[in-house]
Amino acid sequence: MDIPGIDILADQHEYFTLKQAQSITRQLGKVGQSAELYGVTNWDFDLLSHKHQGDWVAVLGTTLRVPHLAWMSMKGEMKRDFPASINHCSPWYQKYKILEDHFSRVNYVLTRGKPVVDIAVLNPIESMWMLLGPDNELGSLRASLEEHFQQLCSWLLFDHMDFDLLSEALIRNNASVEAAKLCVGKMSYKTVIVPQIVTIRSSTLQLLKSFVRAGGQVLLLGDAPKYIDGLPVNDPDISLFSEFDKISFDKQELLRFLDHNRKIRINGNGKFLYQLREEEDSAWLFIAHGQKDCDNGKEITVDIKGSFKTEQYNTLTGEVRELPYSITNGCTTIKYMLYPDDSLLLRLIPTLEDDHGTFKTNADFASLEEWKTVRIPEKIQVQLQEPNVVVLDMAAFSWDNGEKQKSEEILRIDDLLRAEFGYPKRDEGFLQPWKVKEKSTPHRIKLWFSFFSEIETEAKLAVEALDGWIIKFNGFPVNIDGQNWYVDRCLKTSDCIHVLKGENTVTIELPYGAYTDLENIYLLGDFGVKFDNSCRSPIITEPVKMFEFYSVTKQNMPFYGGNLIYEMNIPTHLPNVKIRLPHFAGAMAEICIDGESCPLFTEAKSAKFKNVPPGIHKCRIIIYGNRINTFGALHNCSDIHWCIGTSSYRTKETDWTYQYQIKPFGLMTAPEIEEC
């Protein structure tokens, strides 16, 4: 395998999985490591979350991200195939280049030179295999083994002792001892940790003994294994492992023992990960948040063994700048203000200087005491980058000229009809459409979608219509020419229809078979949308022209998933302007003043503008949308949301409700604008 790879589902932090792949990549000298990311995260997994996940997996070796996913089509069940799609279906897709450029820069650096790692940990996987068996006999032993190993990995990772894992199968024929180092493929180690394991191979034991006799260090953490090659041994602590150092399973004792191996120390209130790499003339240090951080920002102190000049490489913009540093007794120290969504890439250039440097912060604006607040209006105009939308997913129905049935949610209608006709249900195991040879449609279905409007207005329908479908609006035929579409090409839009004040009805008659898709339809136009008192039925209203600073879903736009552009004129008198968005809900935000744009990917959700002339300026705040309120599981009221797929749209009993489950969207509080 040229590029080893793994898969991270949802927003799980699978450090051990990454460490296994990273270790084998390093030891075999592979050019990089791949990881499929972002799967089953849902439509509302924002771009800062994309960055966070990509950053920490990069620290743990991933140099080739495989984003999940870009659909070929949203037709039928495909739109529920573990969203979100990163292509045109998501309104932020044209901004994804910012992230791709960031990771291109990071990954280029993390494939240069050689990783600096002195510690190896024996992988206990063979002990886990030995404990496979009935849960009532071996389950607690497996759980204990897993718990201890996860703890060990966490201690080393978050106390900044980088390490690799040793596979006993690999080192049997690919390891040697050279000059007090254990060499495994392209890597060499000074210290090997034997964690709490049940069994060890005799070949591994002999290799480690040779390593110790050559001046290497082997640390037995906790009890010695009681089996060799799967066979019990007598008195293992005294006879077989007496040449190894031994300590109890204690974090502080372990860190004291390993301190001579330390290359990096990161002090700050957070969970940070790092990767250090060496080239002939310099070294590279990449630091990222290992867990999501909700703080506004914190100053971290990074101590680096050795004397270095430091340069910061801004991976979002490509800019390079010198970073203040201090060198004392052969240790280089930097201080840096790291915000929740930041990562930090440093180039370390060796220097003979010592006791050098004074600290500064990485702020390039004046102190907070000098900032003056710029007043803004309580309501402002908002432009929509696509029409507002009503999701019509409740319909009365009949089949084969039978009796009209009461209104029901469209996917539940589909399930009912499939049960009636003996067809398979559409779900994750449903046959892909290109594999279907016969698509007969022996039945005839009629649907009635009704809604109430407080106004008369013009609108359009978006429908996944096929040949043979008859669509009418208030009794009049609806023309769908197939040239125009909404969100995806499968959702064809109609010519304009006239919405009446009062009750309106869309009727659809269609041929139906095992591979027919019954789906929501969508009403598009310049109008507002509210719910009746039960929050079950949407009502068309006058469009909202001026918006306040809270979720637009509560301002007559519950289903809208496109981008929002907040527009206002701001008066300034001083040259430096800072705009901060304390709370917003959306895929990402972007702030523009007089056409100068700043996407918010860092620095506490704020944008800074220099050399702004005094006067009135046009400020635009773009909140990029997602499709959670348009194509999400709108009736799923379950508290479990980590894995979103087709079953999420078909929940039952207490996990289902007819009331629409709408997520917040937009500027949740007013922007903070200051000048100095």
Side-chain angles (χ1 to χ4, degrees), residues 214-257:
Q217 194 171 47
V218 174
L219 175 63
L220 191 62
L221 191 59
D223 295 332
K226 293 180 171 54
Y227 294 81
I228 295 178
D229 295 326
L231 300 175
V233 295
N234 296 319
D235 212 7
D237 286 324
I238 298 175
S239 56
L240 296 172
F241 299 93
S242 58
E243 298 178 57
F244 301 164
D245 292 301
K246 185 176 184 299
I247 63 173
S248 61
F249 188 80
D250 178 78
K251 176 181 177 180
Q252 297 307 322
E253 192 174 356
L254 172 67
L255 295 178
R256 284 194 296 270
F257 184 90

Short mmCIF file of all heavy atoms in Angstrom, two decimals, residues 214-257:
data_model
loop_
_atom_site.label_atom_id
_atom_site.label_comp_id
_atom_site.label_asym_id
_atom_site.label_seq_id
_atom_site.Cartn_x
_atom_site.Cartn_y
_atom_site.Cartn_z
N ALA A 214 22.37 -3.06 24.63
CA ALA A 214 23.11 -2.14 23.77
C ALA A 214 23.02 -0.70 24.26
O ALA A 214 23.57 0.21 23.63
CB ALA A 214 22.59 -2.22 22.34
N GLY A 215 22.33 -0.49 25.40
CA GLY A 215 22.23 0.86 25.96
C GLY A 215 20.88 1.50 25.79
O GLY A 215 20.68 2.67 26.18
N GLY A 216 19.93 0.80 25.21
CA GLY A 216 18.58 1.34 25.07
C GLY A 216 17.80 1.24 26.36
O GLY A 216 18.27 0.67 27.35
N GLN A 217 16.60 1.77 26.34
CA GLN A 217 15.79 1.82 27.55
C GLN A 217 14.44 1.18 27.28
O GLN A 217 13.73 1.57 26.34
CB GLN A 217 15.60 3.28 27.96
CG GLN A 217 15.08 3.48 29.36
CD GLN A 217 15.14 4.95 29.75
OE1 GLN A 217 14.73 5.81 28.99
NE2 GLN A 217 15.64 5.24 30.94
N VAL A 218 14.05 0.20 28.09
CA VAL A 218 12.74 -0.43 28.01
C VAL A 218 12.04 -0.22 29.35
O VAL A 218 12.61 -0.54 30.40
CB VAL A 218 12.83 -1.93 27.68
CG1 VAL A 218 11.44 -2.57 27.74
CG2 VAL A 218 13.43 -2.13 26.30
N LEU A 219 10.83 0.32 29.29
CA LEU A 219 10.06 0.60 30.49
C LEU A 219 8.86 -0.33 30.56
O LEU A 219 8.01 -0.34 29.65
CB LEU A 219 9.59 2.05 30.50
CG LEU A 219 8.66 2.45 31.65
CD1 LEU A 219 9.39 2.30 32.99
CD2 LEU A 219 8.16 3.87 31.47
N LEU A 220 8.79 -1.11 31.63
CA LEU A 220 7.65 -1.98 31.88
C LEU A 220 6.66 -1.19 32.72
O LEU A 220 6.96 -0.81 33.85
CB LEU A 220 8.12 -3.23 32.60
CG LEU A 220 7.13 -4.39 32.73
CD1 LEU A 220 6.74 -4.92 31.35
CD2 LEU A 220 7.75 -5.51 33.56
N LEU A 221 5.49 -0.92 32.15
CA LEU A 221 4.50 -0.07 32.81
C LEU A 221 3.44 -0.95 33.47
O LEU A 221 2.60 -1.54 32.80
CB LEU A 221 3.86 0.86 31.78
CG LEU A 221 2.98 2.00 32.32
CD1 LEU A 221 3.78 2.91 33.24
CD2 LEU A 221 2.40 2.81 31.16
N GLY A 222 3.51 -1.06 34.78
CA GLY A 222 2.58 -1.93 35.48
C GLY A 222 3.08 -3.36 35.53
O GLY A 222 4.29 -3.64 35.49
N ASP A 223 2.17 -4.31 35.59
CA ASP A 223 2.53 -5.73 35.73
C ASP A 223 3.12 -6.27 34.43
O ASP A 223 2.74 -5.88 33.33
CB ASP A 223 1.29 -6.55 36.10
CG ASP A 223 0.75 -6.17 37.47
OD1 ASP A 223 1.54 -5.73 38.32
OD2 ASP A 223 -0.48 -6.31 37.67
N ALA A 224 4.03 -7.20 34.59
CA ALA A 224 4.63 -7.87 33.43
C ALA A 224 3.62 -8.84 32.82
O ALA A 224 2.74 -9.37 33.51
CB ALA A 224 5.88 -8.62 33.86
N PRO A 225 3.72 -9.09 31.50
CA PRO A 225 2.82 -10.07 30.89
C PRO A 225 3.05 -11.46 31.47
O PRO A 225 4.18 -11.85 31.79
CB PRO A 225 3.20 -10.01 29.40
CG PRO A 225 4.54 -9.39 29.36
CD PRO A 225 4.63 -8.47 30.53
N LYS A 226 1.98 -12.21 31.61
CA LYS A 226 2.05 -13.54 32.22
C LYS A 226 2.07 -14.66 31.19
O LYS A 226 2.03 -15.84 31.55
CB LYS A 226 0.88 -13.73 33.18
CG LYS A 226 0.95 -12.81 34.41
CD LYS A 226 -0.22 -13.03 35.33
CE LYS A 226 -0.03 -12.26 36.65
NZ LYS A 226 0.23 -10.83 36.46
N TYR A 227 2.10 -14.28 29.91
CA TYR A 227 2.16 -15.28 28.84
C TYR A 227 3.23 -14.86 27.83
O TYR A 227 3.45 -13.67 27.58
CB TYR A 227 0.81 -15.40 28.12
CG TYR A 227 -0.31 -15.93 28.98
CD1 TYR A 227 -0.99 -15.10 29.85
CD2 TYR A 227 -0.70 -17.27 28.90
CE1 TYR A 227 -2.03 -15.57 30.65
CE2 TYR A 227 -1.73 -17.76 29.69
CZ TYR A 227 -2.39 -16.90 30.56
OH TYR A 227 -3.42 -17.38 31.33
N ILE A 228 3.90 -15.85 27.27
CA ILE A 228 4.83 -15.63 26.16
C ILE A 228 4.41 -16.56 25.03
O ILE A 228 4.23 -17.77 25.23
CB ILE A 228 6.28 -15.92 26.58
CG1 ILE A 228 6.73 -14.92 27.65
CG2 ILE A 228 7.21 -15.84 25.37
CD1 ILE A 228 8.13 -15.15 28.16
N ASP A 229 4.22 -15.96 23.86
CA ASP A 229 3.69 -16.70 22.71
C ASP A 229 2.36 -17.38 23.06
O ASP A 229 2.04 -18.47 22.57
CB ASP A 229 4.69 -17.74 22.21
CG ASP A 229 5.96 -17.11 21.67
OD1 ASP A 229 5.84 -16.01 21.09
OD2 ASP A 229 7.03 -17.70 21.84
N GLY A 230 1.60 -16.76 23.96
CA GLY A 230 0.30 -17.30 24.34
C GLY A 230 0.35 -18.41 25.35
O GLY A 230 -0.69 -18.97 25.71
N LEU A 231 1.54 -18.73 25.87
CA LEU A 231 1.69 -19.82 26.85
C LEU A 231 2.07 -19.23 28.20
O LEU A 231 2.87 -18.28 28.29
CB LEU A 231 2.78 -20.80 26.39
CG LEU A 231 2.52 -21.48 25.04
CD1 LEU A 231 3.73 -22.31 24.65
CD2 LEU A 231 1.27 -22.35 25.12
N PRO A 232 1.53 -19.75 29.28
CA PRO A 232 1.81 -19.19 30.61
C PRO A 232 3.27 -19.38 31.01
O PRO A 232 3.93 -20.34 30.61
CB PRO A 232 0.88 -19.99 31.53
CG PRO A 232 0.58 -21.25 30.80
CD PRO A 232 0.62 -20.91 29.34
N VAL A 233 3.80 -18.42 31.78
CA VAL A 233 5.17 -18.49 32.28
C VAL A 233 5.13 -18.33 33.80
O VAL A 233 4.21 -17.75 34.37
CB VAL A 233 6.06 -17.39 31.66
CG1 VAL A 233 6.21 -17.61 30.18
CG2 VAL A 233 5.50 -16.01 31.96
N ASN A 234 6.16 -18.84 34.46
CA ASN A 234 6.26 -18.76 35.90
C ASN A 234 7.13 -17.58 36.31
O ASN A 234 8.20 -17.35 35.75
CB ASN A 234 6.87 -20.06 36.47
CG ASN A 234 5.98 -21.26 36.22
OD1 ASN A 234 4.75 -21.16 36.34
ND2 ASN A 234 6.59 -22.39 35.87
N ASP A 235 6.64 -16.84 37.27
CA ASP A 235 7.42 -15.76 37.89
C ASP A 235 8.01 -14.80 36.86
O ASP A 235 9.23 -14.59 36.83
CB ASP A 235 8.55 -16.37 38.72
CG ASP A 235 8.88 -15.51 39.93
OD1 ASP A 235 8.13 -14.54 40.17
OD2 ASP A 235 9.87 -15.82 40.60
N PRO A 236 7.20 -14.20 35.97
CA PRO A 236 7.75 -13.37 34.88
C PRO A 236 8.47 -12.13 35.36
O PRO A 236 9.45 -11.70 34.76
CB PRO A 236 6.50 -13.00 34.07
CG PRO A 236 5.37 -13.12 35.04
CD PRO A 236 5.73 -14.24 35.96
N ASP A 237 8.02 -11.51 36.46
CA ASP A 237 8.63 -10.26 36.91
C ASP A 237 10.09 -10.44 37.29
O ASP A 237 10.93 -9.59 37.05
CB ASP A 237 7.86 -9.70 38.11
CG ASP A 237 6.51 -9.12 37.70
OD1 ASP A 237 6.46 -8.53 36.62
OD2 ASP A 237 5.54 -9.27 38.45
N ILE A 238 10.41 -11.57 37.91
CA ILE A 238 11.76 -11.77 38.45
C ILE A 238 12.73 -12.25 37.37
O ILE A 238 13.83 -11.72 37.20
CB ILE A 238 11.73 -12.78 39.61
CG1 ILE A 238 10.87 -12.21 40.75
CG2 ILE A 238 13.13 -13.11 40.10
CD1 ILE A 238 10.66 -13.17 41.90
N SER A 239 12.33 -13.21 36.60
CA SER A 239 13.28 -13.87 35.70
C SER A 239 13.35 -13.24 34.32
O SER A 239 14.43 -12.85 33.87
CB SER A 239 12.92 -15.35 35.59
OG SER A 239 11.57 -15.50 35.16
N LEU A 240 12.26 -13.12 33.66
CA LEU A 240 12.28 -12.78 32.24
C LEU A 240 12.38 -11.28 31.96
O LEU A 240 12.88 -10.87 30.92
CB LEU A 240 11.03 -13.35 31.56
CG LEU A 240 10.93 -14.88 31.57
CD1 LEU A 240 9.58 -15.33 31.05
CD2 LEU A 240 12.04 -15.47 30.72
N PHE A 241 11.89 -10.44 32.89
CA PHE A 241 11.84 -9.00 32.61
C PHE A 241 12.71 -8.20 33.57
O PHE A 241 12.54 -7.00 33.70
CB PHE A 241 10.38 -8.52 32.70
CG PHE A 241 9.47 -9.19 31.72
CD1 PHE A 241 8.76 -10.33 32.07
CD2 PHE A 241 9.33 -8.70 30.43
CE1 PHE A 241 7.92 -10.96 31.16
CE2 PHE A 241 8.50 -9.32 29.51
CZ PHE A 241 7.79 -10.45 29.87
N SER A 242 13.66 -8.87 34.21
CA SER A 242 14.47 -8.20 35.23
C SER A 242 15.39 -7.13 34.66
O SER A 242 15.82 -6.23 35.38
CB SER A 242 15.29 -9.23 36.01
OG SER A 242 16.12 -9.97 35.12
N GLU A 243 15.70 -7.19 33.38
CA GLU A 243 16.60 -6.21 32.76
C GLU A 243 15.89 -4.90 32.42
O GLU A 243 16.54 -3.91 32.07
CB GLU A 243 17.24 -6.79 31.50
CG GLU A 243 18.09 -8.02 31.75
CD GLU A 243 18.66 -8.59 30.46
OE1 GLU A 243 19.36 -7.83 29.75
OE2 GLU A 243 18.41 -9.77 30.17
N PHE A 244 14.56 -4.88 32.51
CA PHE A 244 13.80 -3.70 32.12
C PHE A 244 13.55 -2.80 33.33
O PHE A 244 13.46 -3.27 34.47
CB PHE A 244 12.45 -4.09 31.52
CG PHE A 244 12.54 -4.98 30.30
CD1 PHE A 244 11.42 -5.67 29.86
CD2 PHE A 244 13.72 -5.12 29.58
CE1 PHE A 244 11.48 -6.48 28.73
CE2 PHE A 244 13.80 -5.93 28.47
CZ PHE A 244 12.68 -6.62 28.04
N ASP A 245 13.45 -1.49 33.07
CA ASP A 245 12.97 -0.58 34.10
C ASP A 245 11.48 -0.85 34.33
O ASP A 245 10.75 -1.23 33.41
CB ASP A 245 13.16 0.87 33.67
CG ASP A 245 14.63 1.26 33.61
OD1 ASP A 245 15.29 1.15 34.64
OD2 ASP A 245 15.09 1.66 32.52
N LYS A 246 11.02 -0.62 35.56
CA LYS A 246 9.63 -0.92 35.88
C LYS A 246 9.07 0.17 36.79
O LYS A 246 9.71 0.56 37.77
CB LYS A 246 9.51 -2.28 36.56
CG LYS A 246 8.08 -2.74 36.83
CD LYS A 246 8.08 -4.15 37.42
CE LYS A 246 6.66 -4.68 37.60
NZ LYS A 246 5.85 -3.88 38.52
N ILE A 247 7.89 0.68 36.44
CA ILE A 247 7.18 1.63 37.29
C ILE A 247 5.71 1.23 37.33
O ILE A 247 5.25 0.43 36.51
CB ILE A 247 7.31 3.09 36.80
CG1 ILE A 247 6.66 3.27 35.42
CG2 ILE A 247 8.77 3.55 36.80
CD1 ILE A 247 6.60 4.72 34.95
N SER A 248 4.98 1.80 38.26
CA SER A 248 3.55 1.54 38.33
C SER A 248 2.82 2.31 37.22
O SER A 248 3.39 3.21 36.58
CB SER A 248 3.00 1.95 39.70
OG SER A 248 3.19 3.34 39.90
N PHE A 249 1.58 1.95 37.03
CA PHE A 249 0.78 2.61 36.01
C PHE A 249 0.28 3.95 36.58
O PHE A 249 -0.84 4.09 37.06
CB PHE A 249 -0.41 1.73 35.60
CG PHE A 249 -1.16 2.27 34.41
CD1 PHE A 249 -0.68 2.07 33.12
CD2 PHE A 249 -2.34 2.96 34.57
CE1 PHE A 249 -1.36 2.57 32.02
CE2 PHE A 249 -3.04 3.46 33.48
CZ PHE A 249 -2.55 3.26 32.21
N ASP A 250 1.16 4.95 36.52
CA ASP A 250 0.89 6.27 37.10
C ASP A 250 1.38 7.34 36.14
O ASP A 250 2.53 7.30 35.69
CB ASP A 250 1.59 6.40 38.45
CG ASP A 250 1.38 7.76 39.08
OD1 ASP A 250 0.30 8.00 39.65
OD2 ASP A 250 2.30 8.61 38.98
N LYS A 251 0.52 8.31 35.85
CA LYS A 251 0.84 9.33 34.85
C LYS A 251 2.07 10.14 35.24
O LYS A 251 3.00 10.30 34.43
CB LYS A 251 -0.36 10.26 34.66
CG LYS A 251 -0.11 11.41 33.71
CD LYS A 251 -1.33 12.31 33.58
CE LYS A 251 -1.05 13.50 32.69
NZ LYS A 251 -2.23 14.39 32.56
N GLN A 252 2.11 10.68 36.45
CA GLN A 252 3.21 11.55 36.83
C GLN A 252 4.53 10.80 36.89
O GLN A 252 5.57 11.32 36.49
CB GLN A 252 2.89 12.23 38.17
CG GLN A 252 1.67 13.12 38.15
CD GLN A 252 1.74 14.16 37.03
OE1 GLN A 252 2.80 14.72 36.74
NE2 GLN A 252 0.60 14.41 36.39
N GLU A 253 4.49 9.59 37.38
CA GLU A 253 5.72 8.78 37.43
C GLU A 253 6.22 8.48 36.03
O GLU A 253 7.43 8.53 35.75
CB GLU A 253 5.45 7.48 38.19
CG GLU A 253 6.72 6.71 38.55
CD GLU A 253 6.45 5.50 39.42
OE1 GLU A 253 5.28 5.29 39.82
OE2 GLU A 253 7.41 4.76 39.69
N LEU A 254 5.29 8.21 35.12
CA LEU A 254 5.67 7.95 33.73
C LEU A 254 6.31 9.18 33.09
O LEU A 254 7.36 9.09 32.44
CB LEU A 254 4.43 7.53 32.93
CG LEU A 254 4.62 7.41 31.42
CD1 LEU A 254 5.56 6.26 31.09
CD2 LEU A 254 3.28 7.22 30.72
N LEU A 255 5.71 10.36 33.29
CA LEU A 255 6.23 11.58 32.66
C LEU A 255 7.60 11.94 33.22
O LEU A 255 8.46 12.44 32.48
CB LEU A 255 5.23 12.72 32.84
CG LEU A 255 3.88 12.54 32.13
CD1 LEU A 255 2.97 13.71 32.43
CD2 LEU A 255 4.07 12.38 30.62
N ARG A 256 7.80 11.73 34.51
CA ARG A 256 9.13 11.98 35.09
C ARG A 256 10.17 11.05 34.48
O ARG A 256 11.30 11.47 34.16
CB ARG A 256 9.08 11.81 36.61
CG ARG A 256 8.43 12.95 37.36
CD ARG A 256 8.73 12.86 38.86
NE ARG A 256 8.15 11.67 39.46
CZ ARG A 256 6.93 11.60 39.97
NH1 ARG A 256 6.14 12.67 39.96
NH2 ARG A 256 6.49 10.47 40.51
N PHE A 257 9.79 9.82 34.28
CA PHE A 257 10.72 8.84 33.71
C PHE A 257 11.11 9.22 32.28
O PHE A 257 12.25 9.02 31.86
CB PHE A 257 10.08 7.46 33.74
CG PHE A 257 10.99 6.36 33.27
CD1 PHE A 257 11.81 5.69 34.17
CD2 PHE A 257 11.05 6.01 31.93
CE1 PHE A 257 12.67 4.68 33.73
CE2 PHE A 257 11.90 5.01 31.49
CZ PHE A 257 12.73 4.35 32.40
#
